[in-house]
Amino acid sequence: MEKSIGFLSFGHYQDVPGSRTPTAREALVQSIELAVAAEEIGIDQASVRVHHFAKQLASPFPLLAAMATRTSRIELGTGIIDMRYENPLSMAEQAAAADLISAGRLQLGVSRGSPETSLRGYEAFGHVPADGETDADMARRHTALFRSAIAGDAVATSDPRMTGWSSPLAIEPLSPGLGERIWWGSGTRATATWTAEQGMNLMSSTLLTEDTGVPFDELQAEQIALYREAWAAAGHAREPRVSVSRSVIPITTDEDVRYFGVRAQQDSRDQVGLLDGVQSHFGKSYVGEPDVIAAQLAGDAAVRAADTVLLTVPNQLGVDYNARLLRTVADHVAPAFGWAPAHAATRPR
């Protein structure tokens, strides 16, 4: 299986000791600069997380468009957009515009969202679940309308008083092919099956909201297998894509030891616990010497099963630090699980 690797930035910013992203502007600008550096290294994807009511990246499309103007090859993604907060038609217009600027390089991860600090924050954005509908149901409804809109389906009707006739209207602009580059962030085996049935790519993170007692990578690999089975059963024509996220920190310098040496022992195993009242399973971090974590990732069942591996980066340490981290992964870690930089230029869009 041809492998892609990318980085996933949470876009934290805060004026605290040690932070190299004290302001929102620096978090945004550095995200652009890291995408440029990653493309030069040969990394395949630059993705950003989306959080509301937090000192993190929140509005992805201006950022993705800016990243697109500074790069030419690297895929540009989100992991993920919380669809509870989105106006589907406005998002469809913005996504199409950003995708056209990028020449069809967007890979948009969407989902119901993760546990957050705000209480029903989506209601402040004007989105309230309908009677008998959960917030997760609303996210899926928003997603269905968004996907319909980017596909060019009619979502309104012209006003005869203005046009002289009544006819169906689609959003503008449209970006051909964007509909095949939508990923659903799935936290369970059941939602992975649903994702396949809907014809979306699968994005699985370092958190699953279920636990069966098996190691995290095996549970995630089972999720991926169920997704692929459901995709085949649904009869979709194209080949789907599947991504997993991993926290990977190669230790090669004294600076790495200073920041992450203790973490190498603390986060080296899976964690199970309650999150938002749900039994959840957290994946471990891969921290250590490059050859050691290369062997560990090569043995990771979900990494083997996925075609795309997103590396979460400590963005508050700045562009230079994270570019060096990505270079080390590209040179000494990713080849162990089947990645090669040469394929980046030939991957069909």
Side-chain angles (χ1 to χ4, degrees):
M1 179 188 299
E2 188 177 81
K3 297 284 189 182
S4 293
I5 59 173
F7 75 80
L8 174 61
S9 173
F10 280 54
H12 293 282
Y13 58 89
Q14 196 166 2
D15 191 7
V16 296
S19 173
R20 294 168 189 168
T21 56
T23 68
R25 182 183 187 279
E26 282 159 309
L28 290 161
V29 171
Q30 289 182 22
S31 297
I32 299 167
E33 297 296 337
L34 185 57
V36 172
E39 181 170 84
E40 292 174 351
I41 293 167
I43 303 298
D44 303 295
Q45 188 175 133
S47 287
V48 294
R49 190 70 164 84
V50 180
H51 278 282
H52 302 287
F53 302 109
K55 291 185 180 296
Q56 295 178 241
L57 299 174
S59 182
F61 294 111
L63 176 58
L64 293 172
M67 293 163 77
T69 64
R70 294 284 307 280
T71 58
S72 61
R73 176 197 56 79
I74 195 168
E75 294 178 337
L76 306 169
T78 56
I80 48 97
I81 298 173
D82 188 333
M83 293 302 290
R84 297 174 297 175
Y85 283 80
E86 296 297 327
N87 177 308
L89 301 187
S90 176
M91 178 178 166
E93 292 177 340
Q94 294 178 64
D99 195 45
L100 289 169
I101 291 170
S102 75
R105 288 184 282 139
L106 292 197
Q107 300 288 340
L108 295 181
V110 302
S111 191
R112 174 252 181 222
S114 59
E116 55 184 348
T117 55
S118 63
L119 178 63
R120 297 191 300 276
Y122 46 85
E123 293 185 3
F125 277 57
H127 303 297
V128 179
D131 290 343
E133 187 181 52
T134 66
D135 62 330
D137 294 333
M138 181 176 68
R140 294 188 182 198
R141 172 166 54 84
H142 284 182
T143 301
L145 181 53
F146 166 72
R147 295 181 67 208
S148 177
I150 62 174
D153 295 340
V155 294
T157 304
S158 65
D159 185 344
R161 294 171 298 178
M162 296 291 293
T163 63
W165 60 83
S166 178
S167 61
L169 297 174
I171 64 122
E172 291 290 349
L174 294 171
S175 187
L178 179 57
E180 294 187 355
R181 289 178 272 114
I182 307 301
W183 307 58
W184 184 263
S186 172
T188 67
R189 291 164 296 170
T191 55
T193 297
W194 175 84
T195 301
E197 293 168 348
Q198 302 304 307
M200 290 185 282
N201 300 310
L202 178 68
M203 180 173 285
S204 188
S205 73
T206 52
L207 165 67
L208 296 177
T209 53
E210 60 182 348
D211 177 46
T212 63
V214 301
F216 177 85
D217 66 313
E218 294 180 15
L219 178 58
Q220 199 172 38
E222 181 183 349
Q223 180 195 41
I224 294 169
L226 290 171
Y227 168 80
R228 294 193 186 281
E229 290 173 9
W231 184 277
H236 301 303
R238 68 180 180 87
E239 189 70 21
R241 291 183 64 183
V242 175
S243 75
V244 296
S245 300
R246 291 291 183 268
S247 177
V248 178
I249 307 289
I251 302 292
T252 61
T253 68
D254 290 342
E255 185 181 28
D256 298 331
V257 174
R258 185 165 66 253
Y259 285 124
F260 300 106
V262 174
R263 184 174 169 184
Q265 286 75 46
Q266 292 178 336
D267 296 349
S268 61
R269 59 183 62 86
D270 296 347
Q271 300 176 53
V272 178
L274 290 176
L275 182 62
D276 210 23
V278 177
Q279 185 82 350
S280 302
H281 201 155
F282 304 81
K284 65 183 180 182
S285 296
Y286 290 84
V287 184
E289 295 181 359
D291 59 337
V292 174
I293 59 177
Q296 292 173 336
L297 285 165
D300 185 306
V303 169
R304 291 199 305 269
D307 60 78
T308 301
V309 179
L310 297 179
L311 312 167
T312 59
V313 295
N315 77 280
Q316 283 188 283
L317 295 182
V319 176
D320 290 344
Y321 182 91
N322 283 291
R324 179 172 63 79
L325 182 155
L326 293 175
R327 169 65 72 183
T328 301
V329 170
D331 289 346
H332 303 291
V333 177
F337 57 80
W339 177 79
H343 85 281
T346 60
R347 173 179 288 281
R349 299 287 176 187

